[in-house]
Structures are given as structure tokens and as C-alpha cells.
């Protein structure tokens, strides 16, 4: 059986790369730029509230982003209420960044977990205002389905807390989300190393978004390369159809279903 | 920090690829050949006892192996005693296959687990006879160290039973083996999908050997591509130095050490 | 060091047993009654909407519950909106069952996952009406904290989907909930066998609620005994303070923190 | 279905308790004695080579062991060759301790992993000399089967390295051992907390042997109680027949087989 991939399409736009990356925590803007290139990513997210709007030239983050090759995705990091997040999205639009937004409404400064109730509230407003909303959410399948019902363009469940590097804590939930919603599913936050990204893709999600795993590695550029290959490997393995799990090769019944 | 990889060297021979593949269970010789190409592997293992020595032309397995690009590694599959395995290695040499051998002495037809005691016995004989011995073994660190002490060129602990697709059952043991022996460590058997191969490489082993995961996939050629990328991704991630695991980004103490 | 346990107190009432059980899916009312006794539980939950109010004598579920020994906890199973759940709680009160309620607002008939947004809405109303609210929720720490802030008497995060028997899918989240809220935490749903209950208690939660794991076992009465012992064992182990995890005994650094 | 347990019988002797304990690493002999009582164990293992044969009265370990209630099981800790282990067993017999021996032939001072090859060698000799041999071994099913074939009275595979507290690293292997041998299987080494003991018993093994998990806990006596209950809980759950694992209750196919 020979398989063919369908393109990754988000709100009508098609991407070759299924890796989405960030702009925070890099040792320098220069290393960030090299990581962006090495990753092959075509979308990059930027925290609107962390932007230094007065910075010019090399001091400005925006100067180091290749917007020819990568689509800008402003995000609402540092927002803790629906109101704040909505205001931040409007600001991003006014700044001419994009009408696509990564919606983050955080519940807690310590864990950076999303506040699902406020996220739903903000999503309802933003969708009505014509934004293309990509919400960061927990791995709860019902919240994900409600975000889809509200009109979001994708759902972005976390693998684990932001910056934790814990990998896919609950693959069952990610798989249930993949079953329950018709829109793209992008695993966002918690990836720590290449195999985590591969596992996410093997679960059938459409893309993976990460920042710390690359920016915080000892050699960020090499990790960006690793992540590019891992996302592709995971996607290929998903499409290729893996062998069943068995206690041993001659066992009659497969041990299906669990990703550990 | 910019990192550089050291080449994978085995008994004085250097390989670009850290993926080693097999020749069994493919839907056809033609698909096998295409998988070999897609995998980028430079070493391929062949079961001496399964060879049909009378087969000619397209009916002969050997006809479909590109020995220009790939080193042949005869193996002793189907041997259940040291004596049988030694005899099989001598036969491989007589057939002009190679003096490198993948030593398998199985303990059980059902699980295909190795018999460590017989493997050690065979290894002692074969090393004395000048073979380059690459033994398939359990993930027991002490057996691995003893095989190294005996003069094997590498140790090849299993990730899980042959053909099981269960992935790395006990990463602690693989890591301990990596610590205890100075020779190359090659994870052999049990890999089921791309992330398994990446995890193996992230543990710091030198290479991964697999057969069923590719041959038995629904689309073997695509899986061969996935495995090539996954092995590279895992190696790159190992070299790049992953971020520590933490309960959440602002947690003060990392959750180090466990691969689950 | 000799340790002493503090009693498990919920809304001012003290319980000796940290196991809470249900009334559904038993092979017969008689077996249910024997399981209740064997479990040592002092609180039992009953689905108000499944009650056959016309049933008399042995045909009536209520006839088989020892309310002398066990506190009744009506629940809102089968409710899919805040409104329905609130109405069901009021009905339970009118029937003289209890002013304590296990609040379930489900998001989905297939997975029986809670709808967190609707659960929060219902909890706000019920707390205002003077109910002692024990809400079934996801393992999302922020939702749990919000339910606590709203005035619930405890939070009851799921281990895994109702009836799944998958055990604690995400121990990190359960531990984070234990850190973030001051009220009792009761693991509800998903326990499959004795070790799952022990693991829950070892994470430091106050109690475990289960139904299918006992009712659906091949020998429900023996499983009820197993669960009683497992909950006690897990509590004792939590209080006793386990040894640190290490790669091996002489390793200098512990592998702390991960429950796998 | 009502189930009944069969007694745990070892070399013709029947035990009520399925927990076997040790004598090392306790804060004091007094605490050790209280832990022995609290554990309910009926067999206790003693390192022959650590015995201070000149110690008298309260200074002597043997003075603190209740041999009325508990069977003594001398062990060969600190032995690194078959020869040493055999000699130590003969010494134990001469000292009048027992003809039952826990055979340990270690491969490494750092990890305390067994040397399977030397263990087999020693077992063959000891069985011929009429000892009742209970060998500590890896979780390799083939080595376990060979130890059974040699005439050992039980096999005692490790859960994880001695003193590591890592729990059952490879439940598949423990289950395979349980399938492959007819003699009792006792999980020995690696248990860290109560749930680990429960998981071992749920896999169907006959008993669990532990030392550090109790001796090294902050409150050893309470941990001894926890372990007694956990072993019973795990056994009861095994006999009771757990519910199948499913992605959610209404899922049609179970996710059988994997203990994670």
C-alpha cells in the first residue's frame, strides 16, 4: 500500500511544514533566526504583550523574523482574563500583525495552565469579530469540542505545562480530541525532545507548536533540526500504519491502543 | 553551544547511517529493495539459515541486496544452542558472506528471547576464531558487560521482544548498558514506530537495528523514510541536549532521569 | 519517625473510610449490598435520575442501602446542562435524600467527560442555594481551583473516563490540584484495579470514589475488599514517606517526582 | 462469581502471608522487629556474610528475629561468583540456619544486578547438594525458565535494581515469566511503595520480597503495614478479575494487556 499525505490546511491556507515555533527564551535573536531557518517552520508565534514597540533595527524582535517565509501568529501570552486577551488581539490587528491569533488566557502564573472558561468566553467574542482563532487549551476533549463549535479555526491542546518538557502526558485525551473535532488539532506546549514531537504526530494530530524545547536546548540550532525531522518522522509513521503491539511476535492478540 | 557528532564506528569501519535493517517479512523482494534505499541504511542483516542457496536470479534474496552500498551482516536466527550458532557463523564465512556476524542464540520459539548463557558461550568461541561478533542480548546490563569483556565488537540489547513493536520497555537498563560498556551499543528488536527509534537514540545508543517495524507496516517504504528521519532526529536531540523535565516551567527542581 | 493520620473531614463531617462507592452496574442488589459492606465505605452515591420512585420493597434500590452506616450522596448523572443538574439537585432535596450533592454535568454521552464550563455555572448556583457541592471535574488544575473558589466542599477530578478502568492518566495534574486547592480532593472515575486506588492515595488525595471497578469485576465482593485494603495501603504509604527513586541504590541523585 | 485463593506453597511449606521481608538498613533492631510484626511476614531473609557471629544478646541480629513465627531464609548477598555463593550456602547450613537459601550472585557492586550465568552455575551445584534454592535473577524469561529447569524451588526476578524503589520496570517480562515457569514466582527487589507491591501481585506472581522500601521509609512501621495491605489488595484484585481497560466505558474494544 502506497500512501499520500494531504496538505496541512488552516483556515484556507496550506502549509508544507507541520512545525510551528516561537520567539521567546532564545539566547539571542541571532540564534533564534538560525533556529527558525533550521526548523523549516512556516508559522511563528509572537507575544504581543512582550513586544518592545519602541525598539528599532537589531534591537527589535520583528527585525529578526523572516516574514517572507513565515506567517506571523500573534499570541496573547500574559493575559489572565477574556477581556485582556480580546483587547490584546485587537491591538495586534491595529499593529498590522495579523488577524490570526493564538489565544492564550492563562489561569495561573505558576503553572501557566489555560483558564478554559475564560478562553471559551474570549473565543466567542473574537470569532464574532472576524478573527481566525487558534486557542491554547487543556487536553480536555469537551472543552476542545466546544472551542470547535464556537468557530475556532483549530484547537491547540497542551501536551504538558508550558516549558515543562514533560511530553504527551495523556495521549488518550489527545486521541479523543482528534476523534471529536473536525478542525485541525495542534499540540501546543510541553514537548521536551524530538521523540515527544514524533509521538504527538503519530497520534494523528495536524501539527505541533513548541518554543522552550528548542530555545532552551544546549544547542538550539541542532534541536531545531531534530524537531523538523521528528515531526516529519512522526507524520510519516502515522501515515505508514505501524505494526500492532504484541506481547511477542507469535502472540495471537495484539495489545492495541495504548500509547504510554 | 554548537555541537558536532562523532562518526559511528564499528570494528574500525565508519558508517554515516545509524540505522541497520533486515531482510525478513517483506511483502516482496521489490518492496524490500525500495525500503532499503529509502532507509539510508548501510548495513543489512540476513538470516543464514533462511537463505535458499539454490535460488537463482530474481528468486534469490541476495540478488535484491545492494552490497555496493550496504555491508552484509549474516545472522544466526533459528539457532537455539551455542553450537548451532557457531556452526552457522562458520557456514556464513564459507559462503563468503562476511566475518562479521550478528549472533543470535534464542531461548524460546515463542518469545524469541535470547539465551544469555548460550550466547556468552558462543561469543567466546567466535571471538577466538576471529569473527567480529555483534550479539543480540537481553537488556540486562551485566550480560552486556560480560559480552563486551569477552571481546564482542558491540552489544545489541533488545528494546522488546522481536516483532513485538512494544518499543523501549526498560530505558533504565539501556542507559545502564550505555554507562557500563565502552563498545558501541545497538538497540536491536522491539521498535514499533518512529518515536521508539527516536527514544532509543535519545538514550545515547550508537545505532538501532530493526526489521518488522518497517517490513510489517502498511506502507513499508514510507515507514523506512520515517525511521531514517527518526533515528537522525533522536541522535540530533541527544547531541543538542534537551531541556530538563519540570512539573511546570517555574518549578525550581527538575524531574530528571526518567524516560517513561 | 512515627506518623499519625488526620481524619478525613468533609464539610464538617468526619469519615473513617476514604473510599466512596456507587450503586450502578451491579449484577444484583444483593451483591451490591455485600460489596458495600465489604468495602467499609461510609458514603454511597446514587443517581437521582435513575431512581425508580415507584419501586417498593426489594425492587427499590434504596431498600438495599444501609443508610445507618453510609451517608447518601445523590448525584446528577445523565445531566448535560447546568440547568438540568440544578433541577436534579433540588429534586433530591425534595425527596429528602440529602443536601449534599455529587454534581455531574456531562459534556458527551460517549465519553462521559464533564463539561467544565457548565459545571462551574451549576456549582455557583447550588452553593448559593446552600447545597454542599462535590463536583466531578476533569484533572485540569485551574478548573479545580475555580470550583474551590466558588465554594465547593471538595473537588473530584477524574483519574480517567468513567468506566474506563485506565487508572491515573495524569498523576502530575492530580498532584498539582492537591497543591492548588485547600479543600479535600477526591479522585473520581477511572480506577480499574487495586493498585490504581493505591496510586491515587499515594499522590496525597483525601479519598477515592469508584463504582465500575467494583461492580464490574468478575468477583465484585472480593474486589470491594481489595479496594478497601488498597485505599488504606496507599494512605499509609503516603504518610509513611516512601524511599526516593534512584537508578540504583548507590546512585547519588534521586529520580524524584514522576509517578508513571 | 465467588473466588477462593489457593495457599502459597513453597517446597511443600504453606504460607499465609505473601510478603517476604529482610533485615538490612533498618534504623535499629527494635524498629526492625516492630516492622516484622506489622508486616505479617512469615519468612525473613538474612545476609549470611553480614552476620556478626561473635555478637551476643541484644547486639546480635538473630536475637531480634522471631523464628517462632518466621522462617529464616539465609541469603548470599556480597557474593560475586558461583563459588563464593555455594560456599556461603554451605556455611549457612553449618551454622544451622536453614537448607533453604536465597541465592544471590551479583554482577556489579554499583547496580547490584545479578550475574545470570554465575547464578545458573551456582544453582546447578546447590540443587544437587540438596538445597532448596530461591534465586534472585533478572526479569529475563529465559533465564527464569532455565533456573526452573535446573530444579530451583522458585524464581525471584527483580522488579528494578536493589534499593532503587523504581517499581515494576517491565511488567511484560514478569508476566512472561509467570507464563513460562510452573514453580512459584516471587518479585524480589525494586519495590518502592505500596502500589508497586500491589501491581506485582496483580500480575499474578505468588509473593513479593522487599527490604529497603520498608527499612528506608520515613516511618518504617507504617510502611510495613502499608505493604501488608498492598500485597493482600493486589492478590485480591488479581483473583477478583479486574474490568477491562477501555478508552471510555462505551468503547466497543478493550485496550487489553498493557500494564504501564
Amino acid at each position: 500500500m502506497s500512501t499520500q499525505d494531504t496538505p496541512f490546511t488552516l483556515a484556507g491556507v496550506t502549509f508544507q511544514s507541520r512545525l510551528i515555533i516561537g520567539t521567546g527564551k532564545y539566547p539571542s535573536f541571532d540564534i533564534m533566526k538560525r533556529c527558525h531557518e533550521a526548523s523549516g517552520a512556516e508559522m511563528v508565534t509572537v507575544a504581543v504583550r512582550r513586544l518592545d514597540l519602541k525598539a528599532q533595527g537589531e534591537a527589535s524582535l520583528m527585525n529578526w523574523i523572516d516574514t517572507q517565509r513565515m506567517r506571523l501568529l500573534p499570541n496573547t501570552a500574559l493575559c489572565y482574563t477574556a477581556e485582556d486577551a480580546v483587547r490584546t488581539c485587537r491591538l495586534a490587528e491595529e499593529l498590522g500583525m495579523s488577524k490570526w491569533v493564538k489565544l492564550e488566557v492563562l489561569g495561573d502564573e505558576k503553572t501557566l495552565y489555560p483558564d478554559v472558561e475564560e478562553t471559551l468566553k474570549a473565543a466567542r467574542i473574537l470569532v464574532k469579530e472576524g478573527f481566525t482563532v487558534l486557542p491554547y487549551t487543556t487536553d480536555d476533549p469537551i472543552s476542545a469540542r466546544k472551542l470547535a463549535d464556537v468557530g475556532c479555526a483549530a484547537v491547540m491542546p497542551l501536551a504538558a505545562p508550558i516549558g515543562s518538557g514533560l511530553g504527551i502526558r495523556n495521549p488518550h485525551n489527545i486521541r479523543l480530541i482528534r476523534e471529536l473535532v473536525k478542525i485541525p488539532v495542534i499540540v501546543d506546549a510541553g514537548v521536551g525532545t524530538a521523540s515527544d514531537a514524533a509521538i504527538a504526530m503519530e497520534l494523528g494530530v495536524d501539527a505541533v507548536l513548541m518554543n522552550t524545547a528548542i530555545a532552551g536546548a544546549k544547542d538550539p540550532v541542532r534541536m531545531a533540526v531534530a524537531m523538523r525531522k521528528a515531526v516529519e518522522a512522526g507524520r510519516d509513521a502515522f501515515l505508514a500504519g505501524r505494526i500492532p503491539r504484541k506481547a511477542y511476535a507469535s502472540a495471537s492478540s495484539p495489545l492495541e491502543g495504548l500509547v504510554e
Side-chain angles (χ1 to χ4, degrees), chain A:
Chain A
M1 188 188 79
S2 182
T3 52
Q4 203 139 8
D5 200 358
T6 49
F8 167 41
T9 305
L10 202 59
V13 179
T14 295
F15 297 87
Q16 301 306 315
S17 167
R18 292 172 180 274
L19 174 58
I20 307 172
I21 51 170
T23 50
K25 301 184 192 176
Y26 280 94
S28 70
F29 285 154
D30 179 55
I31 290 176
M32 181 190 80
K33 191 186 175 75
R34 284 160 53 207
C35 287
H36 286 183
E37 280 162 15
S39 73
E42 293 167 336
M43 184 148 50
V44 57
T45 186
V46 174
V48 178
R49 294 199 157 202
R50 285 210 186 88
L51 272 184
D52 179 355
L53 298 175
K54 292 177 207 141
Q56 299 285 332
E58 297 210 343
S60 164
L61 168 67
M62 298 301 291
N63 195 53
W64 295 85
I65 298 176
D66 181 357
T67 50
Q68 294 299 102
R69 201 172 55 74
M70 292 191 296
R71 188 177 190 100
L72 213 61
L73 180 65
N75 72 58
T76 65
L78 302 178
C79 293
Y80 291 86
T81 64
E83 208 188 333
D84 265 8
V86 169
R87 201 181 304 128
T88 303
C89 291
R90 289 174 188 150
L91 175 63
E93 192 187 3
E94 282 164 28
L95 292 172
M97 293 181 80
S98 171
K99 207 139 187 189
W100 288 32
V101 288
K102 181 185 172 209
L103 175 61
E104 285 185 40
V105 191
L106 302 179
D108 185 304
E109 285 181 45
K110 188 170 89 167
T111 65
L112 304 180
Y113 264 95
D115 181 324
V116 170
E117 197 185 26
E118 291 291 306
T119 302
L120 274 162
K121 201 186 295 179
R124 288 184 185 109
I125 297 168
L126 291 166
V127 167
K128 269 189 201 132
E129 297 190 6
F131 284 92
T132 294
V133 182
L134 311 175
Y136 164 62
T137 183
T138 65
D139 60 5
D140 165 27
I142 302 302
S143 301
R145 202 209 56 213
K146 291 178 82 165
L147 286 163
D149 290 347
V150 152
C152 291
V155 285
M156 310 216 294
L158 53 78
I162 293 175
S164 69
L166 289 172
I168 315 287
R169 288 292 87 196
N170 196 336
H172 276 283
N173 275 2
I174 300 296
R175 212 180 269 148
L176 278 175
I177 291 173
R178 183 57 295 177
E179 275 177 49
L180 287 180
V181 308
K182 303 286 176 216
I183 55 175
V185 176
I186 302 169
V187 164
D188 178 10
V191 163
T193 188
S195 54
D196 296 338
I199 290 170
M201 296 306 299
E202 286 166 0
L203 291 167
V205 304
D206 300 88
V208 178
L209 190 158
M210 68 182 70
N211 182 64
T212 313
I214 295 175
K218 289 215 181 87
D219 180 346
V221 178
R222 189 182 283 272
M223 190 57 94
V225 173
M227 291 300 185
R228 175 174 56 72
K229 291 174 183 166
V231 167
E232 291 177 15
R235 180 67 182 175
D236 278 325
F238 171 73
L239 293 168
R242 60 160 293 156
I243 55 170
R245 286 183 179 86
K246 294 179 167 191
Y248 36 85
S250 57
S252 51
S253 58
L255 302 168
E256 269 302 354
L258 287 188
V259 170
E260 289 160 87

